[in-house]
Amino acid sequence: SNLADSAEKLNAARLDTSRFGRNGCVYAVNQAYKGAGLTAPWGNDVNYVPTARSVLIRKGFIQVGVKNAQPGDIVIMADTGSPPWVHIGIVSNSGTVLHNSSTNKAFTNNESFSSLMRRYVKIEVYRAPSVVAKGGKESVSSPAKSKANNTEQLLSSRRTGAGTTKT
């Protein structure tokens, strides 16, 4: 995936996101799209996670679930705040999630799903409909199954007291 490759280059280069504050995560994903020669589904000027998520849904991106994540998929995380959708990243070629670090003010985090699931109450993984149409469909859960998997993750994280960390 060109998107995963681009994100990995930005992650290794420690892309500076300091001027975007809490919106640095969307900025970093926008830059990964740009580096891959693509335009982010929400456009390059959107730097707000809830808006990015709404556009993905409106444009028919398929929710595939954590277990079916592939390089280049978009990962959106929620905490218990309002709005709940607070963070975004990209699945790397090795299956981890590349995302912005508010602490480092750079696109430097490379984290496993299990680690993210300890900090966020819900994680959604989205795949472009064009990727699914090219043959990735066999690895995609049905919408009902994806919803069940996400509900299971949400309940599991609440049982374990997964946090309200915002990035």
Side-chain angles (χ1 to χ4, degrees), residues 63-65 67-68 140-151:
Q63 195 174 141
V64 297
K67 291 180 181 178
N68 295 317
V140 178
S141 300
S142 69
K145 189 173 181 182
S146 287
K147 187 172 182 177
N149 287 345
N150 284 328
T151 300

Side-chain angles (χ1 to χ4, degrees), residues 2 7 19 28 48 58 60 73 83 109 125 133-134 140 146 164 167:
N2 291 340
R19 65 188 177 277
Y48 187 56
R58 188 174 72 243
D73 287 346
N109 286 357
V125 180
K134 288 180 184 177
V140 178
S146 287
T164 58
T167 56

Side-chain angles (χ1 to χ4, degrees), residues 7-124:
E8 287 178 1
K9 287 176 188 172
L10 294 172
N11 183 263
R14 302 180 57 85
L15 173 70
D16 178 5
T17 60
S18 60
R19 65 188 177 277
F20 294 95
R22 294 185 66 208
N23 297 316
C25 59
V26 182
Y27 169 77
V29 171
N30 290 348
Q31 296 307 301
Y33 269 96
K34 187 176 178 180
L38 304 167
T39 300
W42 47 82
N44 292 326
D45 296 329
V46 169
N47 285 316
Y48 187 56
V49 176
T51 302
R53 180 178 176 269
S54 294
V55 171
L56 289 178
I57 293 167
R58 188 174 72 243
K59 289 194 171 184
F61 275 62
I62 310 299
Q63 195 174 141
V64 297
V66 169
K67 291 180 181 178
N68 295 317
Q70 294 178 355
D73 287 346
I74 302 300
V75 181
I76 299 185
M77 295 146 268
D79 67 12
T80 59
S82 180
W85 305 105
V86 296
H87 200 47
I88 190 168
I90 299 172
V91 178
S92 73
N93 287 315
S94 63
T96 58
V97 179
L98 302 169
H99 60 101
N100 186 62
S101 165
S102 294
T103 304
N104 295 335
K105 298 178 182 172
F107 191 61
T108 57
N109 286 357
N110 187 354
E111 199 167 351
S112 69
F113 277 104
S114 61
S115 176
L116 290 169
M117 290 170 76
R118 287 190 293 271
R119 293 189 301 139
Y120 294 98
V121 297
K122 190 169 185 180
I123 295 175
E124 294 179 344

Side-chain angles (χ1 to χ4, degrees), residues 135-162:
K137 193 169 189 130
E138 67 275 359
S139 64
V140 178
S141 300
S142 69
K145 189 173 181 182
S146 287
K147 187 172 182 177
N149 287 345
N150 284 328
T151 300
E152 180 180 306
Q153 291 170 6
L154 177 61
L155 294 173
S156 174
S157 65
R158 287 187 176 160
R159 282 192 299 269
T160 60

